[in-house]
């Protein structure tokens, strides 16, 4: 999410780790964390962060071979059917 908004990967990685640690301290999840907590870490966070981290979004974006995105699964099924 942060990298797509222009932040260097190393910086985004560190911020994400801090947010996960913060969630562990609070006994909550990233999905439940208030936007203000995100924005304390970076001004790049907006309301769209919740869509970006949703499980549906995460699955749909994993389109690589063997990934769980529906189009990847369909390609895997087609491959196996052709092999049989």
């Amino acid at each position: 999410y942060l990298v797509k908004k222009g932040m260097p990967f190393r910086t985004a990685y560190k911020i994400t780790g801090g947010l996960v640690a913060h969630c562990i301290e609070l006994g909550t999840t990233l999905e439940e964390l208030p936007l203000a907590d995100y924005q304390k870490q970076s001004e790049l966070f907006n309301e769209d962060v919740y869509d970006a981290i949703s499980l549906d979004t995460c699955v749909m974006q994993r389109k690589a071979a063997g990934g769980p995105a529906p189009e990847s699964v369909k390609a895997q099924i087609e491959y196996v059917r052709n092999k049989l």
Side-chain angles (χ1 to χ4, degrees):
Y1 173 87
L2 293 172
V3 171
K4 287 180 182 178
K5 291 193 170 210
M7 181 178 283
F9 179 83
R10 189 174 293 183
T11 304
Y13 184 85
K14 183 176 179 180
I15 288 173
T16 302
L19 287 167
V20 169
H22 184 59
C23 286
I24 291 169
E25 289 172 12
L26 297 177
T28 191
T29 65
L30 290 170
E31 294 85 2
E32 297 170 340
L33 197 63
L35 182 59
D37 288 1
Y38 281 100
Q39 291 176 332
K40 285 179 188 174
Q41 299 300 315
S42 173
E43 62 201 30
L44 295 177
F45 285 113
N46 293 307
E47 281 288 337
D48 64 343
V49 68
Y50 297 107
D51 288 332
I53 65 171
S54 79
L55 292 178
D56 287 338
T57 300
C58 291
V59 167
M60 297 301 263
Q61 290 182 349
R62 287 179 174 68
K63 299 175 184 177
E71 60 200 62
S72 295
V73 173
K74 287 176 187 174
Q76 293 170 59
I77 291 169
E78 185 66 25
Y79 174 78
V80 170
R81 282 187 178 151
N82 289 332
K83 287 291 187 182
L84 297 176

